[in-house]
Amino acid sequence: MSDPFDGTERSLGQLVASATAEMSALVHDEIALAKAEIKRDVNRGLLGSAFGIFGVVVLLFSLPMLSFALAYGINAWTGGHNGDGGLNLAVCFLISFGASFLLAVLLFLFAYARFKKIKKPEKSLASAKETAAIVQNVKPHPRPATVTVPATQDKSASVARSSA
């Protein structure tokens, strides 16, 4: 009969240490993958937020200035500047507001397009599900029957031996 510890087989402790190290590396890799995917989506979200905030700023700051300039321009273009009538000044202001509103809607659509590209971390979820499926199917090796310690043997010696 050959010696079971001839160097070709690893001990139980070595197997457990190896499995623990590999499981730890797997968990670290999955965390790194999730971080990378989340970072990508956060960057997309930040860009979409920037477009949305920029749209609000443009709408708020440009409305008074743009509305007056556009309204008086429309009034002048339709002949109101020389006394020929032209469009009513109130209608000119409504047209001006409509142009500003359309610009804001366009900027919000750009922001929405950026937000729509945000996806859940599919690779991380798939990897975690795969790992969970593998771990669920792992069955422990049968353990040998417990050895009873004779009453005459010193219990501290058995503890020291088993933990050494």
Side-chain angles (χ1 to χ4, degrees):
M1 202 182 241
S2 67
D3 183 20
F5 297 103
D6 60 356
T8 59
E9 293 184 20
R10 297 190 295 180
S11 70
L12 180 62
Q14 290 171 332
L15 290 173
V16 169
S18 174
T20 303
E22 289 177 14
M23 188 63 99
S24 176
L26 178 64
V27 168
H28 285 290
D29 289 344
E30 286 186 7
I31 289 172
L33 177 63
K35 282 182 181 179
E37 288 182 339
I38 289 171
K39 183 178 179 182
R40 181 196 65 210
D41 288 340
V42 165
N43 287 339
R44 286 181 180 169
L46 288 175
L47 190 58
S49 297
F51 277 123
I53 290 170
F54 184 68
V56 169
V57 168
V58 166
L59 181 64
L60 291 177
F61 286 125
S62 70
L63 278 179
M65 188 172 39
L66 184 64
S67 294
F68 278 102
L70 191 58
Y72 282 112
I74 292 171
N75 186 271
W77 181 60
T78 58
H81 66 288
N82 59 10
D84 291 340
L87 285 177
N88 186 352
L89 198 54
V91 173
C92 295
F93 275 103
L94 284 175
I95 293 170
S96 171
F97 173 75
S100 296
F101 185 76
L102 286 177
L103 176 64
V105 167
L106 183 65
L107 288 170
F108 285 130
L109 287 176
F110 282 137
Y112 178 74
R114 289 292 177 176
F115 282 127
K116 195 166 183 152
K117 287 184 180 180
I118 295 175
K119 299 175 185 171
K120 62 184 177 183
E122 294 171 2
K123 291 178 184 176
S124 297
L125 292 174
S127 177
K129 286 180 184 177
E130 182 179 323
T131 302
I134 290 171
V135 170
Q136 284 179 349
N137 293 332
V138 172
K139 293 189 169 86
H141 291 289
R143 296 183 180 185
T146 58
V147 177
T148 58
V149 178
T152 60
Q153 189 178 14
D154 184 19
K155 293 189 187 247
S156 63
S158 67
V159 172
R161 257 187 304 140
S162 66
S163 62

